[in-house]
């Protein structure tokens, strides 16, 4: 199971190295003396521009008060901007940076929604199809627990038995590929998939990923300038060191929130473990396995372990939800969502 397409490529134009005026003659001469000497036989040593740029910055820092004040002002402004836009994720209480409003998130996602419809629109099953009815049935049970009834939910079941995939575009646009229904096996298995996807919307993970670009782009530009490396190298380094670990954290968070959500409306949370056991078996059968540190998602094995660790919490929610009448715990879940993580201990 994967999620909505993610925009992980940084604009190459923005990552092109910049240049500064050359430092005064004494520094230039020193660099020539250190790096411009010749090897035995008269061969010229290579010139390393990144050392010159580091020296340029050092020179400006120690000799230009204006440069120090400017750099300090930028630093203080950046820290203030990040601090002003810190918030806690609903339910889990994780502290994160997010400067994209929910309204902007939905507006930007509209283009993605139109693109997906353009690509798969001819293969969307009608609302009268049994698969569409099943997805509608599960969603109708989960959405009241999420507190997201105000969104305009639309269900699109795509007739593609090869793809085991589902995702929710911000704004309540649900896409389920028919191939994942067999892996779900039961209604509770499908609830595990859909509650995970709804959890991404509830936690505004898309806007968090967009916000990360405000951190990644300046760092990539700085690395490109100081070390004179190509933008592609900076992008790749930040992708694997920062963006992908962050994506795996969001996936685990959606697993956690989704597990509690499905338990709150009386779906069996153990079915989430069963779902990922079947996903792991399918991966082994296909022979396709990506090391976790290279992936945007946790490995199926690790997801199973984490879900098992959260089961006691989910089962307690199920016991308190009066599942014989369905809905006794929904109000508590909505209150937890409304608090938006002001307290980390929500239950």
């Amino acid at each position: 199971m994967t999620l909505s397409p993610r925009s992980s490529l940084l604009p190459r134009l923005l990552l092109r190295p910049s240049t500064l005026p050359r430092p005064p003659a004494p520094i230039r001469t020193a660099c020539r003396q250190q790096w411009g000497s010749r090897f035995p036989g008269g061969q010229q040593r290579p010139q390393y521009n990144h050392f010159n740029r580091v020296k340029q910055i050092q020179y400006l820092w120690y000799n230009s008060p204006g440069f120090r004040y400017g750099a300090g002002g930028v630093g203080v402004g950046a820290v203030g901007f990040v601090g002003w836009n810190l918030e806690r994720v609903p339910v889990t209480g994780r502290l994160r940076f997010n400067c994209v409003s929910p309204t902007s998130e939905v507006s930007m996602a509209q283009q993605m929604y139109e693109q997906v419809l353009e690509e798969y629109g001819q293969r969307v099953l009608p609302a009268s199809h049994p698969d569409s009815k099943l997805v509608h049935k599960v969603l109708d049970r989960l959405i009241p627990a999420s507190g997201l009834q105000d969104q305009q939910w639309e269900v699109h079941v795509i007739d593609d038995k090869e793809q085991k995939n589902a995702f929710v575009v911000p704004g309540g646009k649900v896409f389920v590929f028919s191939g994942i229904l067999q892996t779900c096996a039961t209604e509770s298995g499908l609830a595990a998939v859909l509650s995970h996807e709804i959890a991404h919307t509830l936690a505004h993970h898309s806007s968090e990923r967009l916000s990360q670009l405000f951190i990644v782009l300046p760092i990539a530009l700085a690395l490109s300038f100081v070390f004179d490396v190509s933008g592609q190298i900076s992008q790749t380094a930040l992708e694997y060191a920062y963006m992908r670990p962050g994506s795996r954290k969001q996936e685990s968070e959606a697993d956690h929130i989704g597990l509690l959500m499905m338990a709150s409306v009386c779906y069996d949370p153990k079915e989430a473990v069963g779902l990922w056991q079947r996903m792991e078996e399918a991966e082994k059968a296909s022979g396709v396995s990506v090391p976790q540190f290279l992936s945007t998602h946790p490995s199926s094995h690790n997801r199973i372990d984490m879900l098992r660790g959260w089961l006691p919490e989910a089962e307690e929610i199920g016991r308190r939800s009066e599942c014989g009448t369905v809905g006794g715990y929904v109000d508590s879940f909505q209150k937890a969502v409304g608090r938006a993580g002001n307290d980390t201990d929500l239950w």
Side-chain angles (χ1 to χ4, degrees):
M1 177 181 61
T2 57
L3 305 180
S4 56
R6 287 163 172 76
S7 178
S8 60
L9 296 178
L10 306 179
R12 297 186 66 181
L13 179 61
L14 296 177
L15 297 177
R16 292 177 59 188
S18 303
T19 58
L20 284 179
R22 292 187 177 182
I27 300 297
R28 185 171 65 248
T29 302
C31 290
R32 284 179 176 173
Q33 290 174 352
Q34 183 175 359
W35 302 104
S37 58
R38 297 177 178 275
F39 289 110
Q43 185 178 358
Q44 183 72 29
R45 284 183 184 271
Q47 301 288 331
Y48 297 104
N49 292 331
H50 57 275
F51 289 108
N52 288 340
R53 288 185 174 176
V54 171
K55 288 182 177 292
Q56 286 176 332
I57 295 173
Q58 290 176 339
Y59 176 84
L60 290 172
W61 180 263
Y62 289 113
N63 295 279
S64 174
F67 179 81
R68 290 197 299 273
Y69 295 148
V74 170
V76 170
V79 171
F81 177 71
V82 171
W84 181 260
N85 289 285
L86 289 178
E87 63 179 21
R88 292 195 179 275
V89 177
V91 182
T92 65
R94 175 174 63 89
L95 188 66
R96 53 107 180 264
F97 169 72
N98 182 18
C99 63
V100 178
S101 69
T103 303
S104 299
E105 178 188 30
V106 172
S107 177
M108 287 184 282
Q110 182 62 28
Q111 182 179 0
M112 180 197 304
Y113 172 60
E114 293 171 356
Q115 289 174 346
V116 176
L117 275 184
E118 182 178 355
E119 182 175 358
Y120 295 105
Q122 299 298 320
R123 300 161 70 180
V124 173
L125 297 174
S128 59
H129 192 279
D131 290 348
S132 298
K133 288 182 177 180
L134 177 61
V135 174
H136 270 287
K137 177 184 177 183
V138 176
L139 274 178
D140 287 344
R141 195 161 153 184
L142 290 170
I143 290 172
S146 71
L148 300 175
Q149 301 96 314
D150 59 330
Q151 299 201 18
Q152 297 180 354
W153 292 91
E154 297 180 35
V155 174
H156 307 277
V157 179
I158 300 171
D159 185 16
D160 186 343
K161 298 188 182 301
E162 298 300 319
Q163 287 207 52
K164 303 180 187 302
N165 191 11
F167 58 88
V168 176
V169 176
K173 307 302 186 287
V174 181
F175 290 89
V176 177
F177 290 82
S178 59
I180 201 171
L181 298 178
Q182 184 176 0
T183 305
C184 292
T186 65
E187 185 174 323
S188 291
L190 178 58
V193 171
L194 294 178
S195 62
H196 170 96
E197 305 302 336
I198 294 171
H200 278 303
T201 300
L202 173 63
H204 298 290
H205 284 158
S206 294
S207 60
E208 181 181 357
R209 286 191 297 272
L210 289 169
S211 299
Q212 288 173 343
L213 295 179
F214 287 84
I215 297 175
V216 171
L217 285 175
I219 294 176
L221 286 167
L223 290 174
S224 298
F225 171 76
V226 173
F227 296 103
D228 196 24
V229 296
S230 71
Q232 187 64 38
I233 295 175
S234 300
Q235 173 191 333
T236 302
L238 289 170
E239 173 74 17
Y240 286 97
Y242 180 72
M243 298 294 285
R244 296 201 180 193
S247 177
R248 292 193 292 270
K249 183 180 296 183
Q250 289 182 344
E251 293 298 325
S252 297
E253 188 169 62
D255 284 344
H256 188 188
I257 296 173
L259 188 72
L260 305 185
M261 188 186 303
M262 68 180 289
S264 75
V265 292
C266 307
Y267 283 115
D268 183 2
K270 292 188 182 71
E271 283 297 316
V273 176
L275 168 71
W276 284 105
Q277 287 174 333
R278 292 188 290 274
M279 292 290 284
E280 185 177 34
E281 291 171 1
E283 290 171 3
K284 290 179 180 178
S286 67
V288 177
S289 179
V290 179
Q292 179 171 284
F293 75 94
L294 294 177
S295 176
T296 57
H297 291 57
S299 67
S300 296
H301 180 76
N302 287 341
R303 294 179 99 148
I304 292 168
D305 287 344
M306 287 186 288
L307 287 167
R308 282 175 173 159
W310 295 321
L311 274 179
E313 182 184 6
E315 289 171 343
E316 176 60 23
I317 288 175
R319 284 190 291 269
R320 293 167 54 187
S321 66
E322 302 175 6
C323 286
T325 59
V326 182
Y329 198 76
V330 170
D331 290 340
S332 298
F333 192 92
Q334 290 180 340
K335 290 176 183 177
V337 171
R339 284 194 280 179
N342 290 332
D343 302 307
T344 56
D345 185 14
L346 296 178
W347 288 287

